[in-house]
Amino acid sequence: MLIVQKFGGTSVGDLERIQNVANRVSQTLKEGHQVVVVVSAMSGETNKLIAYAEHYTSTPERSEVDMLLSSGERVTAALLSIALNAMGHSATSMSGRRAGIVTDSIHTKARIESIDPSHMHAELAAGKVVVVAGFQGVSESGQVTTLGRGGSDLSAVALAGALQADLCEIYTDVDGIYTTDPRIEPRAKKMDKISYDEMLELASLGAKVLQNRSVELAKKLNVNLVTRSSFTDAEGTLITKEENIMEQPLVSGIALDKNQARVSLSGVIDRPGIASDIFTRLADNSVNIDMIIQTLGHDGKTNLDFTVPKTELIDAKSVVETFIAEGEITEASYDECICKVSIVGVGMKSHTGVAAKAFQTMARENINIMMISTSEIKVSMVIDEKYAELAVRSLHSAYALDQ
């Protein structure tokens, strides 16, 4: 088998942990597999490099930031390669450029456009372990680019797809995907398998184990993805096609996202195209919109509520203020003390009453629901942040995920 293994920052946090990774790779080799390893920077390294840049200016050139940050992963790749060679294995390290990863030219959040795996295939054919610096690539013009936070997951999945690997293993400090955050609900259980769509929903709804872009790409490239712990030998969770899962549960997991803020617009001029104008301008300013509620208009005006990530609230406010100045909105208010709790499960497609049970559970706990969003496999509710953990535990119990 050809296996791509990715190790995150905590897994390669110091020299001892890099040796632990080398031992794991060695064991995989002894089992007769070919291995491509993708590594992140050592934990804390990226933040340190950002601090170095901000010593001079709070707004460094993004192309220079990419050149700076990409060094962290290259250091780890070289050290792991050195460790493997010292153990008697033949290994070579590669930057994103040498691994053939070509991206667009959007610095600090580039997207992969193509991968030429020829260098990797040649080294694998020569019996070597290929160690690739994650999180980075090169643009068509030859400039170093980075893929954004969590980009090493994306590198690993993309490489697995390009190499047609049999498996892509994502090693982290947790041993798989749980029915909810075990720090909130100790009775949460690890799942053996989960579908791409469910994992994508959980990742986008606040579960931090996998970056959602990497799950999207795994689904697109049909990459079997396993997330497991670097520090134990426990079996992880397989993320795969829905048809590969024999018994599909009604609800697979409960997700919590505290990085949410609510924007409430009052007195919005009720004319055709106003919503388009508002959300287009927000998109142009890179503000991601989640839930949207518009109430029925009266006297030529309407109200519009939507949620954005807290980290993008300042940008959202600046856009809203331009509409207030133009007289298209009377006033706006903002609430950062909210959260989004969601239930996810492919079983919802064929069962009724799933949403009703969620609403009954919230009512029983006297938790007011401010906004609701649904899809085929999820129900999301915006509630007061102070009820976040109570809501998670109550829903986890209501759908018998602790049994």
Side-chain angles (χ1 to χ4, degrees), residues 288-319:
N288 287 301
I289 307 299
D290 187 10
M291 298 187 188
I292 302 171
I293 292 178
Q294 183 173 3
T295 56
L296 189 65
H298 294 285
D299 301 322
K301 293 188 177 181
T302 186
N303 296 331
L304 189 63
D305 286 17
F306 56 90
T307 59
V308 301
K310 283 182 183 177
T311 50
E312 297 173 14
L313 183 58
I314 292 175
D315 291 333
K317 284 181 179 179
S318 66
V319 171

Side-chain angles (χ1 to χ4, degrees), residues 287-361:
V287 178
N288 287 301
I289 307 299
D290 187 10
M291 298 187 188
I292 302 171
I293 292 178
Q294 183 173 3
T295 56
L296 189 65
H298 294 285
D299 301 322
K301 293 188 177 181
T302 186
N303 296 331
L304 189 63
D305 286 17
F306 56 90
T307 59
V308 301
K310 283 182 183 177
T311 50
E312 297 173 14
L313 183 58
I314 292 175
D315 291 333
K317 284 181 179 179
S318 66
V319 171
V320 169
E321 291 303 318
T322 64
F323 281 94
I324 292 176
E326 294 166 6
E328 299 247 70
I329 297 173
T330 302
E331 62 179 345
S333 61
Y334 308 93
D335 185 358
E336 294 184 66
C337 297
I338 64 165
C339 67
K340 179 173 65 176
V341 62
S342 307
I343 59 174
V344 176
V346 292
M348 293 186 199
K349 293 179 182 179
S350 55
H351 289 79
T352 60
V354 179
K357 179 176 283 191
F359 304 149
Q360 290 164 3
T361 302

Side-chain angles (χ1 to χ4, degrees), residues 75-94:
V75 167
T76 311
L79 287 172
L80 178 56
S81 182
I82 290 168
L84 286 165
N85 280 297
M87 295 172 68
H89 300 293
S90 183
T92 183
S93 62
M94 293 186 180

Side-chain angles (χ1 to χ4, degrees), residues 64-319:
E64 299 302 334
V65 171
D66 276 354
M67 181 67 110
L68 177 67
L69 297 187
S70 66
S71 67
E73 279 72 16
R74 292 201 304 272
V75 167
T76 311
L79 287 172
L80 178 56
S81 182
I82 290 168
L84 286 165
N85 280 297
M87 295 172 68
H89 300 293
S90 183
T92 183
S93 62
M94 293 186 180
S95 64
R97 179 195 298 269
R98 185 155 180 260
I101 301 173
V102 178
T103 74
D104 61 22
S105 56
I106 309 300
H107 286 288
T108 72
K109 49 183 177 181
R111 289 186 173 271
I112 296 172
E113 293 190 336
S114 65
I115 294 178
D116 176 1
S118 55
H119 285 302
M120 290 181 288
H121 278 309
E123 298 291 8
L124 288 167
K128 293 184 179 181
V129 178
V130 176
V131 185
V132 180
F135 173 67
Q136 63 187 263
V138 61
S139 68
E140 289 282 3
S141 62
Q143 285 192 298
V144 173
T145 55
T146 62
L147 307 177
R149 287 286 186 177
S152 291
D153 285 355
L154 198 62
S155 300
V157 173
L159 289 174
L163 291 163
Q164 295 186 316
D166 298 286
L167 192 64
C168 180
E169 297 179 326
I170 306 292
Y171 285 86
T172 67
D173 52 358
V174 296
D175 59 357
I177 310 299
Y178 280 74
T179 49
T180 195
D181 188 337
R183 293 169 298 182
I184 296 174
E185 174 50 87
R187 293 180 296 175
K189 293 188 175 182
K190 186 176 70 178
M191 291 179 269
D192 295 327
K193 293 181 180 181
I194 187 172
S195 71
Y196 294 124
D197 288 336
E198 288 172 311
M199 189 65 241
L200 187 55
E201 290 285 9
L202 289 172
S204 64
L205 293 169
K208 304 301 183 185
V209 178
L210 284 175
Q211 186 220 44
N212 58 345
R213 282 171 64 195
S214 67
V215 182
E216 278 180 2
L217 192 60
K219 180 183 178 181
K220 179 181 178 181
L221 301 178
N222 197 23
V223 171
N224 281 320
L225 202 56
V226 171
T227 177
R228 57 191 305 183
S229 172
S230 299
F231 309 112
T232 72
D233 292 323
E235 292 294 324
T237 300
L238 173 66
I239 299 102
T240 186
K241 293 186 291 187
E242 192 175 313
E243 52 263 40
N244 290 342
I245 302 172
M246 293 290 290
E247 295 185 21
Q248 297 169 350
L250 182 63
V251 171
S252 294
I254 313 295
L256 175 65
D257 185 0
K258 291 186 177 181
N259 181 32
Q260 292 282 311
R262 182 180 181 181
V263 180
S264 298
L265 309 181
S266 302
V268 181
I269 298 298
D270 193 11
R271 62 167 175 81
I274 183 63
S276 172
D277 291 346
I278 292 171
F279 292 115
T280 296
R281 203 174 298 179
L282 286 164
D284 290 343
N285 284 268
S286 300
V287 178
N288 287 301
I289 307 299
D290 187 10
M291 298 187 188
I292 302 171
I293 292 178
Q294 183 173 3
T295 56
L296 189 65
H298 294 285
D299 301 322
K301 293 188 177 181
T302 186
N303 296 331
L304 189 63
D305 286 17
F306 56 90
T307 59
V308 301
K310 283 182 183 177
T311 50
E312 297 173 14
L313 183 58
I314 292 175
D315 291 333
K317 284 181 179 179
S318 66
V319 171

